[in-house]
Amino acid sequence: MDKPQQPFADGVPNLSEAHFEVPTEERMAPPTPLDHAPRFLVLYGSLRDRSFSRFLAYEAARLLEAMGGEVRIFHADGLPLPDDAPVEHPKVQELRQLSIWSEGQVWVSPERHGNMTGVMKAQVDWLPLSEGSVRPTQGRTLAVMQVSGGSQSFNAVNSLRVLGRWMRMITIPNQSSVPMAYKEFDDAGRMKPGPLYDRVVDVCEELMKFTLLMRGRADYLVDRYSERKEREPERLKGVAADIGFVQR
C-alpha cells in the first residue's frame, strides 16, 4: 500500500471529538497562585534503631525545609501488612491522609536481597490508585533514593521508579544511591559531606523545582482522553453491565 502523504488527509475517524482536547499553553497556567508552602511526604523502608534509610530520609526532609517546603515523615512502626487489617486501621488512615495532603514525595529504601524492603513496599501497597473521587498519588512528584550496605547499586531505586509510574506519579530524573551507607553517616546519624551528600542536595533541589512546576497544573497534566470517555454515564452503565452489576 502506498504511504499516505503528509499532512494526513484521511483524518482520525476512531476519535471521539467530544472528548478530544488540543493541549495549549494557556491551559498550563495555574488558575490561582497557591498560598501555602510546597508539601512533601517522606517514606523510608526500615524499622531498625539505627536505620540508614531513616537517616537519609531526615537529610532529605531538612533540605526540603531549607528550600521552603513543609515536610512530614511517615513512620511505618505499627503499619500492618497489606490486607492483614481493615483500611480503617489508624496507621493506614494516617498514611493515606498524608499522601493526599502532599504535593510531592520522597521514597527512601534500603536494598535487601537485591530490591526494596518489604517495609517500603507495604507502605506503597496501602496507597490505593483511587479512593472514591480522590487519588492519593496521581499527579504528585516523586524522588527516589536508596542505601546499600555494599557496593553501588540501583536495584531499589529502579524498582521504586516502576512503582512511582504505576502510581501515576511524576518521578523526577535524578536519584540518589548511597553505597556502604555505614561509612556515610556519623554517630549522630548525620550524613557526612562529600559527593554522595551533594547528590542528595541535587535530588531535593530538582524535586522542589518539579513540584513548583506542577503546582496548580497537576489535574490538567494527568487528565486523559480515555478516562474522559470512561466518565460518561452511558460508558459507566456499559461497564457495569459487562461485570454483571445492575443499578436499581
Side-chain angles (χ1 to χ4, degrees), residues 131-192:
E131 194 168 26
S133 60
V134 177
R135 301 193 177 212
T137 54
Q138 178 166 297
R140 288 157 178 79
T141 54
L142 173 66
V144 295
M145 303 184 187
Q146 75 168 75
V147 293
S148 304
S151 59
Q152 187 83 23
S153 171
F154 300 96
N155 292 328
V157 287
N158 287 339
S159 294
L160 290 172
R161 284 189 174 279
V162 172
L163 275 179
R165 184 173 70 246
W166 189 262
M167 302 304 286
R168 299 180 176 181
M169 303 178 78
I170 311 300
T171 308
I172 66 170
N174 215 336
Q175 61 188 25
S176 170
S177 175
V178 180
M180 292 183 282
Y182 57 90
K183 294 183 177 181
E184 299 301 325
F185 294 87
D186 62 22
D187 292 340
R190 296 305 307 270
M191 194 170 184
K192 299 175 183 178

Side-chain angles (χ1 to χ4, degrees), residues 24-247:
T24 65
E25 291 185 9
E26 290 75 17
R27 293 289 303 277
M28 288 290 294
T32 55
L34 298 176
D35 59 1
H36 62 264
R39 297 168 173 170
F40 297 96
L41 169 62
V42 182
L43 308 179
Y44 63 94
S46 171
L47 302 180
R48 292 178 176 176
D49 289 338
R50 184 166 173 80
S51 164
F52 295 112
S53 64
R54 185 175 73 251
F55 294 160
L56 185 56
Y58 286 176
E59 294 295 346
R62 293 184 184 101
L63 288 165
L64 290 170
E65 284 186 344
M67 295 174 191
E70 182 180 358
V71 182
R72 297 183 185 177
I73 300 174
F74 178 75
H75 303 283
D77 309 67
L79 182 72
L81 289 173
D83 303 325
D84 196 36
V87 296
E88 292 79 15
H89 190 284
K91 291 294 290 189
V92 176
Q93 286 300 305
E94 178 190 354
L95 174 60
R96 292 188 178 190
Q97 290 304 313
L98 284 173
S99 186
I100 293 169
W101 167 86
S102 70
E103 296 170 300
Q105 298 187 17
V106 182
W107 295 352
V108 187
S109 179
E111 180 173 300
R112 182 172 297 169
H113 300 317
N115 215 311
M116 76 183 80
T117 61
V119 173
M120 188 75 239
K121 184 61 161 57
Q123 293 175 79
V124 180
D125 283 349
W126 271 120
L127 294 174
L129 281 175
S130 62
E131 194 168 26
S133 60
V134 177
R135 301 193 177 212
T137 54
Q138 178 166 297
R140 288 157 178 79
T141 54
L142 173 66
V144 295
M145 303 184 187
Q146 75 168 75
V147 293
S148 304
S151 59
Q152 187 83 23
S153 171
F154 300 96
N155 292 328
V157 287
N158 287 339
S159 294
L160 290 172
R161 284 189 174 279
V162 172
L163 275 179
R165 184 173 70 246
W166 189 262
M167 302 304 286
R168 299 180 176 181
M169 303 178 78
I170 311 300
T171 308
I172 66 170
N174 215 336
Q175 61 188 25
S176 170
S177 175
V178 180
M180 292 183 282
Y182 57 90
K183 294 183 177 181
E184 299 301 325
F185 294 87
D186 62 22
D187 292 340
R190 296 305 307 270
M191 194 170 184
K192 299 175 183 178
L196 292 173
Y197 178 76
D198 293 346
R199 184 60 174 265
V200 175
V201 180
D202 289 346
V203 171
C204 292
E205 182 180 70
E206 188 171 287
L207 178 64
M208 176 62 79
K209 291 176 180 177
F210 271 77
T211 304
L212 292 172
L213 186 65
M214 290 292 294
R215 295 182 89 199
R217 303 175 175 91
D219 289 343
Y220 175 63
L221 288 171
V222 299
D223 185 43
R224 301 176 179 182
Y225 166 78
S226 60
E227 293 180 352
R228 290 195 295 274
K229 289 182 66 178
E230 290 172 358
R231 288 195 293 265
E232 285 292 319
E234 292 304 316
R235 181 67 173 267
L236 293 175
K237 288 181 182 178
V239 172
D242 287 342
I243 63 176
F245 178 77
V246 179
Q247 292 180 323

